[in-house]
Amino acid sequence: MLLDETFQTPLAADLIAVGTGSLQGALFAAGFKKLDLLGVALIGVATGVGGGFLRDMLLGVTPAAFSNNYYLIVAIGAALLGMSLPRIFERLDPAITFLDAISIGMFGAIGTTKAFEMGLPIVPAIFIGMVSAVGGGALRDVMLNMPIALMHVGSLYAIASLAGVSVLTVLLMFKVPVLIAGTVCVVVTTVVRLLAVRFGWSLPEQRALTRIRLRKQREVEVAIQEALETGALNLPMPLPDILPDAYPLPNAGPEPADDPDEDERFGYTGPTPKV
């Protein structure tokens, strides 16, 4: 899918998105006691411009943050501000969360349309858009030497971005103008992200996928433990009917009466064994 243009946003909106990312990154890094002022500032800047930087590196073009003086100036200023006034911005957390949701939608739309403009297929273009949206947070976590947040339960950054850029791609396939498709992408991403924050949505843990198997395993372990303690084996699941009636399981009730026809059928004529 080859486009003649990318989703363009006003420079002011771009700078707000970068500043919001840097502010959040600095607020997060300020909670680490072993970081000095320079370290907090660098992490804030990396969070703000990291997504666009990774996007442009994957596309093999000059990073947008290096093509204009304002990007780095705004990122540094927002990081220093967040580092200096953490209590004030913690009170403004709902507004910052809203701006952050908008910013990941914008970065996703810009990254995807930019990839389409350069002739990338659909799946790689969607991947580029997602990297552009969530790359800043991932780069922040790598610099802090901690697990990447978007890969753990409780984060729907990547899913919100995927929903937005997927809608964008479908609209572009139906020849919807880039500006309209990009705007819809931002709206969808923002709504999904805010709903996830409001209602605590998250993907299930990997362990939840094997919960049934683990529960069965625990039931069998409990049955074995009871058998060791009481001498009676009560399995939590029925056994296939493969044993002759002459060999009843413990606690299985009274023994059935001897059936001569059955003994002849199995070729057994001796005394009935006792368990």
Side-chain angles (χ1 to χ4, degrees):
M1 182 186 297
L2 188 62
L3 298 180
D4 295 330
E5 58 178 333
T6 62
F7 176 69
Q8 300 290 336
T9 57
L11 178 61
D14 252 358
L15 296 178
I16 290 175
V18 170
T20 301
S22 298
L23 185 64
Q24 277 200 329
L27 288 173
F28 186 81
F32 289 79
K33 297 180 180 180
K34 294 184 179 181
L35 290 177
D36 59 14
L37 298 180
L38 179 59
V40 174
L42 287 176
I43 290 174
V45 173
T47 306
V49 303
F53 184 82
L54 292 176
R55 172 201 67 207
D56 294 336
M57 292 295 291
L58 290 173
L59 293 175
V61 299
T62 302
F66 296 161
S67 63
N68 189 311
N69 292 325
Y70 295 113
Y71 284 98
L72 289 178
I73 292 175
V74 169
I76 294 172
L80 294 176
L81 196 61
M83 177 179 56
S84 304
L85 305 172
R87 294 184 179 180
I88 294 178
F89 287 105
E90 286 175 358
R91 297 176 183 176
L92 300 175
D93 185 65
I96 295 176
T97 300
F98 177 73
L99 291 175
D100 182 61
I102 294 178
S103 69
I104 64 175
M106 291 170 50
F107 284 134
I110 294 171
T112 303
T113 54
K114 194 169 185 178
F116 281 140
E117 185 184 28
M118 298 186 66
L120 269 67
I122 291 177
V123 175
I126 290 177
F127 176 76
I128 292 293
M130 292 179 61
V131 169
S132 179
V134 304
L139 187 59
R140 173 204 66 196
D141 295 339
V142 170
M143 293 179 66
L144 289 172
N145 194 28
M146 60 181 294
I148 299 177
L150 66 91
M151 296 183 181
H152 291 75
V153 173
S155 173
L156 278 187
Y157 270 96
I159 298 300
S161 174
L162 177 61
V165 299
S166 297
V167 171
L168 167 68
T169 301
V170 172
L171 293 177
L172 292 177
M173 292 175 64
F174 284 95
K175 307 301 181 182
V176 175
V178 172
L179 180 60
I180 297 176
T183 302
V184 173
C185 171
V186 175
V187 172
V188 170
T189 303
T190 302
V191 169
V192 173
R193 175 59 185 162
L194 293 179
L195 288 177
V197 173
R198 173 63 180 82
F199 296 104
W201 293 349
S202 65
L203 292 178
E205 291 185 73
Q206 185 273 337
R207 291 193 300 270
L209 302 179
T210 58
R211 188 171 298 168
I212 296 178
R213 179 178 61 82
L214 293 177
R215 184 169 61 247
K216 291 294 184 182
Q217 180 180 346
R218 285 195 296 268
E219 290 177 354
V220 173
E221 291 174 352
V222 170
I224 294 175
Q225 183 64 29
E226 292 178 352
L228 293 175
E229 295 176 355
T230 65
L233 181 61
N234 296 315
L235 292 178
M237 61 189 73
L239 291 176
D241 188 14
I242 59 173
L243 295 176
D245 292 338
Y247 297 90
L249 289 173
N251 299 334
E255 298 177 0
D258 293 338
D259 185 356
D261 295 334
E262 184 178 351
D263 292 338
E264 292 178 4
R265 194 163 55 248
F266 283 101
Y268 178 74
T269 59
T272 301
K274 302 295 183 180
V275 178

